[in-house]
């Protein structure tokens, strides 16, 4: 799942621990851990808070860098 990777990427880019991120969006550290290990998935409200905190669109947060993904798909099809 791309979301778990994106969450960890954006969290570490902001130099936030799981605990610090949890406090910012009003969840527990265990919840952040569960999201990053794909044991659970955030609700819409949490996704909106994350998107705002990281200053990225929901698409970027959920899908990752679309240009890179499209390049990889294209590359696999033709090479």
């Amino acid at each position: 799942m791309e979301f778990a990777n994106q969450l960890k990427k954006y969290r570490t880019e902001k130099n936030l621990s799981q605990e610090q991120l949890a406090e910012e969006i009003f969840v527990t550290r265990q919840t952040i851990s569960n999201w990053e290990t794909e044991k659970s998935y955030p609700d819409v409200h949490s996704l909106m808070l994350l998107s705002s905190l990281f200053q990225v669109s929901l698409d970027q947060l959920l899908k990752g860098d679309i240009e890179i993904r499209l390049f990889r798909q294209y590359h696999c099809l033709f090479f």
Side-chain angles (χ1 to χ4, degrees):
M1 180 183 297
E2 196 65 31
F3 171 74
N5 297 329
Q6 291 298 101
L7 177 60
K8 188 168 185 177
K9 177 184 112 176
Y10 289 124
R11 178 178 63 77
T12 56
E13 283 178 0
K14 288 226 177 242
N15 295 315
L16 294 171
S17 67
Q18 288 182 343
E19 182 71 32
Q20 290 168 322
L21 178 57
E23 289 174 9
E24 290 284 331
I25 64 165
F26 315 106
V27 298
T28 65
R29 184 210 54 82
Q30 187 63 41
T31 297
I32 301 297
S33 176
N34 285 341
W35 294 345
E36 288 186 356
T37 58
E38 301 180 2
K39 292 180 182 173
S40 64
Y41 197 76
D43 60 18
V44 172
H45 180 72
S46 296
L47 288 170
M48 296 294 291
L49 290 172
L50 289 166
S51 174
S52 178
L53 176 68
F54 296 139
Q55 298 180 327
V56 297
S57 69
L58 288 173
D59 275 351
Q60 287 174 296
L61 186 61
L62 296 172
K63 298 177 185 175
D65 189 332
I66 293 173
E67 289 178 8
I68 290 173
R69 292 179 60 140
L70 289 174
F71 174 79
R72 287 180 184 156
Q73 277 183 312
Y74 177 82
H75 191 296
C76 288
L77 289 173
F78 293 101
F79 298 101

